[in-house]
Amino acid sequence: MRDGFVKVAVSSPELRVADCTFNVENLIHKAKEMADRGVKVLAFPEFSLTGYTCHDLFLQDTLLAGAQDALWRYKNETKELPLVSVVGLPYSHRGRLYNVAAVVHGGKILALVPKSHIPMYAEFYEGRQFAPWDQNNVKIVLGWGEETLLGCRILFEDITFRDLTFAIEICEDLWVPTPPSSEHAMAGANLMINLSASDELTGKADYRRELVKNQSARTLSAYLYADASEGESTQDMVFGGHNMIVENGTILEQSDPFAQDHDLVTEIDLFRLRNERRRMSTFQLYEDPKEYGYDIVGFSLGELEETELTRHFSRTPFVPQTKSHREKRCEEILAIQAHGLAKRLRHMGCKSAVIGLSGGLDSTLALLVTVRAFDLLSLDRSGITAVTMPGFGTTNRTYENAVLLSGQLGTSLREISIEDATLQHFRDIGHDVDVQDITYENSQARERTQILMDIANQTGGMVIGTGDMSELALGWATYNGDHMSMYGVNSSVPKTLVRYLVQFFADVSNQKELRRTLYDILDTPVSPELLPPEEGEISQKTEDIVGPYELHDFFLYYVLRCGFTPGKIYRLAVYTFCEGYDKETIFQWLYTFYHRFFRQQFKRSCLPDGPKVGTVSVSPRGDLRMPSDAADTLWKEELDRIRASFV
């Protein structure tokens, strides 16, 4: 459970309708199997001890007694297991019959949670046998003399690992306008467990899936959905065992209806859920859940231990993960960028835009976006002035790609060499041209920006910024050089997403020559080209200096989006990039990230305007409000502890 990870499981074992002995043996076997796999929280379906489709047999004392006996056996034979589990059964209380979930741990029944909303439509008609629970929590004594709670407003909290607090709702409870889990979340539950028996109908799986995802997202919680499977009666309905484990609206694991294996095991990240709730100012927890009728039942899963990770973490968290979403997501991002720029051009009355076109990825995306904005405004693309400014490090490849791209997109092109102007500047400030230091590099970047700004004045236009969010996070921009523009269309687009967007544009383009140019740009190493080439090839490769952008974008996502500690991010990076990078290399670039991130905030504090396209931004007017002189001592101390582990 270190770093907030808790291994959870949902299982729909084979059952026989009304055969409590057969069912409990399968539940016990499955609980032991899950405990061996490190599972700490296990959910079984609704009426898992009896079967859901018993119908009027639920009114038979024999079945009710059999269910009680099965529960007693289950809790005794699982008492040594280091997990908490939830099983379903019928329970009779004061002349009424309830559909309940029994929470079992350490040989005890922590509580019985009854269903709040009983379906009355013909498909189910549970109201024939069961009553909804509509009262406060009460203390009860089970048939073998054990005292416990019965009620819907119960929070189950791990007293050792207090970030784990779960609550329960049962099947139909999720379908009502205000599910109990909504209030459970406000009371403090961050894990919802739903014991369900939802039959399969045409299209119902999709509806069910969206329902669970939306409730998980709305409550900023993890959600375990345990569904009845094929062992149920098929007299009038068929059940498919559509199980799900969802975290904050994202499906971590699910079993398709009628799949052979209904067992789901993965890890939920409770720290991430905690951080999400902390970020959302409109998410207000009850100050005292007891004032709202809640009881808190404590249990302990033992000392904190490191949960073995099995879930998937994307190497590129900013990039869409499925091809089915690719086109839609790319169109959305490009539309946000283009419409943002179009609004600014319209507001300023501009019919001219100026872009420094290097033949690299960032300026390529900026030009593609600007072309879209001009098309939206029905402006002639010739009003876009692409300026290529060869310098000491420019290679033929990037120069030629810049020229080709401008022509293929129908924009105006100006070529202005910066070599003479930069040499004059070196003479003016007394800098030796043979000293290729930061002055040598930044002078070229600032010269280029001066040219762009002055051409914008000549044309009555505005300079379009090309720098991306990854560069801004690392401070890989020359202050008042490429750092400055009049509107930065890429300012919230990380480098891995820039590449993805250009790739998408190339793939869908119907211009053969444009596709060829874009593909070559994608194959070109990322470089500022401020140092002379070697044998005609790029000598200054950005990723050799500051580190691989796929690592830095991974770090950036979990630092800003999730607020994770260096230790947790390092752990996730080692787990995710185990094929490709060793631990020492990952640590080296993580240290570089934090070092540069803290020291380069002054550049981000005065960024030009630019559209936000995702959930992370480094704009001081967007997501990141950070003092420029904040100390990184605490973060470096944790990094030093990681470094010590290498010795």
Side-chain angles (χ1 to χ4, degrees), residues 194-494:
N194 187 319
L195 279 62
S196 183
S198 180
D199 64 327
E200 294 304 325
L201 302 172
T202 302
K204 190 173 183 180
D206 290 336
Y207 180 81
R208 185 191 302 120
R209 184 181 299 110
E210 291 304 313
L211 198 64
V212 173
K213 286 171 57 180
N214 288 336
Q215 187 63 4
S216 169
R218 184 177 295 109
T219 57
L220 297 176
S221 67
Y223 204 105
L224 307 188
Y225 187 88
D227 191 20
S229 63
E230 297 95 324
E232 295 288 351
S233 170
T234 59
Q235 180 178 1
D236 294 303
M237 297 172 289
V238 175
F239 297 84
H242 185 195
N243 292 335
M244 287 173 274
I245 300 177
V246 183
E247 179 184 280
N248 193 23
T250 299
I251 294 179
L252 301 182
E253 295 286 343
Q254 70 170 319
S255 61
D256 293 331
F258 309 113
Q260 289 187 345
D261 185 3
H262 300 289
D263 289 349
L264 304 180
V265 180
T266 191
E267 303 80 45
I268 57 173
D269 188 348
L270 297 179
F271 284 1
R272 178 165 188 178
L273 294 172
R274 179 190 64 189
N275 293 351
E276 287 294 315
R277 289 183 173 187
R278 191 163 53 199
R279 287 165 57 93
M280 185 175 288
S281 59
T282 54
F283 193 94
Q284 297 290 326
L285 294 177
Y286 296 151
E287 189 67 33
D288 183 3
K290 294 179 181 178
E291 293 183 0
Y292 294 85
Y294 277 89
D295 284 290
I296 300 176
V297 175
F299 64 96
S300 177
L301 293 175
E303 296 299 319
L304 295 182
E305 58 187 51
E306 182 162 327
T307 302
E308 179 184 0
L309 297 179
T310 60
R311 63 183 281 187
H312 172 72
F313 296 92
S314 172
R315 293 169 69 107
T316 54
F318 291 107
V319 175
Q321 298 305 302
T322 59
K323 290 184 178 180
S324 61
H325 294 148
R326 179 177 187 245
E327 185 171 342
K328 180 180 178 182
R329 183 67 61 84
C330 288
E331 286 292 346
E332 285 177 346
I333 295 169
L334 291 168
I336 292 170
Q337 291 177 279
H339 279 80
L341 177 57
K343 166 64 177 178
R344 182 56 53 91
L345 290 166
R346 186 188 302 114
H347 175 72
M348 295 179 65
C350 274
K351 297 182 179 180
S352 170
V354 180
I355 297 180
L357 193 59
S358 68
L361 278 173
D362 291 343
S363 63
T364 295
L365 178 59
L367 182 59
L368 295 172
V369 168
T370 305
V371 165
R372 282 200 171 206
F374 268 58
D375 291 349
L376 285 171
L377 297 172
S378 299
L379 296 176
D380 194 320
R381 292 185 183 183
S382 63
I384 303 171
T385 302
V387 187
T388 179
M389 297 168 281
F392 304 129
T394 303
T395 60
N396 290 337
R397 182 180 188 181
T398 54
Y399 167 76
E400 290 171 1
N401 279 337
V403 173
L404 288 171
L405 187 63
S406 175
Q408 290 156 357
L409 291 173
T411 68
S412 301
L413 177 69
R414 292 188 63 176
E415 178 183 337
I416 302 174
S417 172
I418 65 167
E419 290 190 10
D420 290 343
T422 305
L423 290 172
Q424 178 62 52
H425 180 64
F426 288 164
R427 288 192 291 271
D428 292 342
I429 66 173
H431 183 75
D432 186 347
V433 69
D434 293 325
V435 179
Q436 296 175 359
D437 58 4
I438 191 169
T439 302
Y440 179 93
E441 295 184 35
N442 285 351
S443 294
Q444 297 173 70
R446 293 192 179 100
E447 179 61 30
R448 286 177 169 136
T449 299
Q450 175 178 283
I451 291 171
L452 296 175
M453 292 288 182
D454 291 342
I455 291 176
N457 290 157
Q458 285 181 331
T459 60
M462 53 190 288
V463 176
I464 308 304
T466 62
D468 64 61
M469 184 168 66
S470 305
E471 293 177 341
L472 293 169
L474 294 167
W476 190 250
T478 299
Y479 194 82
N480 204 34
D482 52 307
H483 156 265
M484 191 47 59
S485 68
M486 295 167 185
Y487 196 76
V489 292
N490 295 340
S491 58
S492 68
V493 184

Side-chain angles (χ1 to χ4, degrees), residues 377-620:
L377 297 172
S378 299
L379 296 176
D380 194 320
R381 292 185 183 183
S382 63
I384 303 171
T385 302
V387 187
T388 179
M389 297 168 281
F392 304 129
T394 303
T395 60
N396 290 337
R397 182 180 188 181
T398 54
Y399 167 76
E400 290 171 1
N401 279 337
V403 173
L404 288 171
L405 187 63
S406 175
Q408 290 156 357
L409 291 173
T411 68
S412 301
L413 177 69
R414 292 188 63 176
E415 178 183 337
I416 302 174
S417 172
I418 65 167
E419 290 190 10
D420 290 343
T422 305
L423 290 172
Q424 178 62 52
H425 180 64
F426 288 164
R427 288 192 291 271
D428 292 342
I429 66 173
H431 183 75
D432 186 347
V433 69
D434 293 325
V435 179
Q436 296 175 359
D437 58 4
I438 191 169
T439 302
Y440 179 93
E441 295 184 35
N442 285 351
S443 294
Q444 297 173 70
R446 293 192 179 100
E447 179 61 30
R448 286 177 169 136
T449 299
Q450 175 178 283
I451 291 171
L452 296 175
M453 292 288 182
D454 291 342
I455 291 176
N457 290 157
Q458 285 181 331
T459 60
M462 53 190 288
V463 176
I464 308 304
T466 62
D468 64 61
M469 184 168 66
S470 305
E471 293 177 341
L472 293 169
L474 294 167
W476 190 250
T478 299
Y479 194 82
N480 204 34
D482 52 307
H483 156 265
M484 191 47 59
S485 68
M486 295 167 185
Y487 196 76
V489 292
N490 295 340
S491 58
S492 68
V493 184
K495 184 73 77 177
T496 48
L497 186 54
V498 170
R499 178 174 294 279
Y500 189 86
L501 292 169
V502 173
Q503 178 77 55
F504 165 76
F505 203 101
D507 291 345
V508 300
S509 174
N510 56 12
Q511 296 178 247
K512 182 178 179 180
E513 295 302 320
L514 176 59
R515 287 202 307 271
R516 182 181 292 115
T517 301
L518 292 175
Y519 289 145
D520 193 64
I521 290 171
L522 285 162
D523 288 338
T524 304
V526 177
S527 172
E529 292 195 313
L530 298 173
L531 296 178
E534 296 176 357
E535 299 180 353
E537 299 296 328
I538 292 172
S539 63
Q540 187 184 25
K541 297 179 180 179
T542 299
E543 292 183 292
D544 291 344
I545 302 168
V546 297
Y549 275 116
E550 66 173 345
L551 284 180
H552 284 308
D553 283 358
F554 187 88
F555 302 152
L556 178 62
Y557 180 84
Y558 286 107
V559 168
L560 292 188
R561 183 66 183 84
C562 303
F564 288 169
T565 64
K568 183 169 182 176
I569 295 173
Y570 172 73
R571 178 186 178 188
L572 294 182
V574 169
Y575 173 75
T576 303
F577 293 93
C578 58
E579 295 182 3
Y581 301 96
D582 58 36
K583 294 181 179 181
E584 289 79 3
T585 299
I586 291 173
F587 174 81
Q588 171 195 343
W589 296 125
L590 180 60
Y591 194 96
T592 296
F593 177 88
Y594 276 105
H595 185 79
R596 294 189 65 94
F597 180 76
F598 273 87
R599 281 156 180 76
Q600 301 293 317
Q601 171 61 23
F602 72 97
K603 296 179 182 177
R604 300 187 292 267
S605 292
C606 56
L607 286 180
D609 290 351
K612 180 180 177 182
V613 303
T615 56
V616 177
S617 168
V618 294
S619 168

Side-chain angles (χ1 to χ4, degrees), residues 46-47 52 98-101 113-119 124 126 130-134 152 169-173 180 195-197:
E46 188 175 11
F47 288 124
Y52 177 80
Y98 297 99
N99 174 353
V100 304
V113 180
K115 195 171 187 174
S116 300
H117 301 87
I118 301 298
F124 294 100
E126 276 181 52
F130 293 93
W133 184 264
D134 55 4
C152 295
E169 59 188 5
I170 301 177
C171 200
E172 188 76 9
D173 291 342
L195 279 62
S196 183

